[in-house]
Amino acid sequence: MEVQVRVARNRLSVDTQWTITRILDSLRLADAPALASVLRLTGRSGGHNIDASLYVADALTKIDREDVAPETVDGPAHLDDADGLRGLEKLGYLTVHDLAYETSSASYLDEGRSLTAIRVLRPFHTVGVVYRWRRALIGPADEWDIVTQPGVIWPGVYVHGAVGDYRSRDVGLVYAGPPELDTDALIYAIREDSDVFTCHAVCDRCGADWYAHDGSWIFRAIRAHADFDYSDARRHDGTTVMCPEPLCVAGRVGFVVG
């Protein structure tokens, strides 16, 4: 997947969110609204929505309002605040596999990106419950309501994409295949189809070209007289710069990542 580069005096990068969207679209067999809703409640990196307590049970086990009453002993499993998605992994409902993690400092991305495979092993569902204290702030809650019931999450491999170097933001989630889908094959496909570590620069007039790697602005000559440093590029215009070749008068150098 070749990606057009954003070119400016202080920028040489690609749109990270666009690359994630393209990857998810290529893997998508179906949308996954139920699991997406659970991810929004749990939070990608652990810890769920502070306004709702989250409970989980097997798909055939119904969760009613009385099952989540305060101080109920035999109710459904409660997902601890600190565990988030990992809590579902501890309960044996799914496993989490990192497919890709890249930062903007070591690639041509304009911000970091991450792709995660979630392998659901057995069907389950969750409910979100809000508790309220009307009479006193200590002791069991006086009122409670089930506020979210996303539906059953069925076995399969789901791929989640997010962007951000320091704080991630969700881009999307797709159903990518059955539970036996090989995640190593997914890793290979992502690396092959979405290379964000190599940038190819080519002059449209003289044909000179250069390559740079791992986010570097130093382009090594392939069919050119010398290397060139993008920091020294001149006459930026759109997505091109003036060709640095000494005998090329009107050439424009364009950049492609991938």
Side-chain angles (χ1 to χ4, degrees), residues 28-116:
R28 184 194 312 270
L29 295 182
D31 292 326
L35 183 55
S37 180
V38 172
L39 288 182
R40 283 193 294 271
L41 280 171
T42 61
R44 170 63 184 87
S45 58
H48 57 68
N49 189 326
I50 61 173
D51 296 325
S53 296
L54 200 63
Y55 294 86
V56 59
D58 292 340
L60 297 179
T61 302
K62 187 177 181 181
I63 303 177
D64 292 319
R65 184 174 180 275
E66 294 308 312
D67 296 324
V68 293
E71 299 186 318
T72 297
V73 176
D74 298 324
H78 175 254
L79 289 178
D80 187 82
D81 289 9
D83 287 343
L85 188 60
R86 297 293 178 180
L88 291 168
E89 189 171 26
K90 291 178 182 178
L91 292 169
Y93 287 110
L94 52 80
T95 57
V96 180
H97 310 267
D98 292 327
L99 299 178
Y101 177 76
E102 290 116 12
T103 64
S104 60
S105 61
S107 68
Y108 293 98
L109 298 168
D110 60 0
E111 56 183 332
R113 73 178 185 182
S114 63
L115 287 153
T116 306

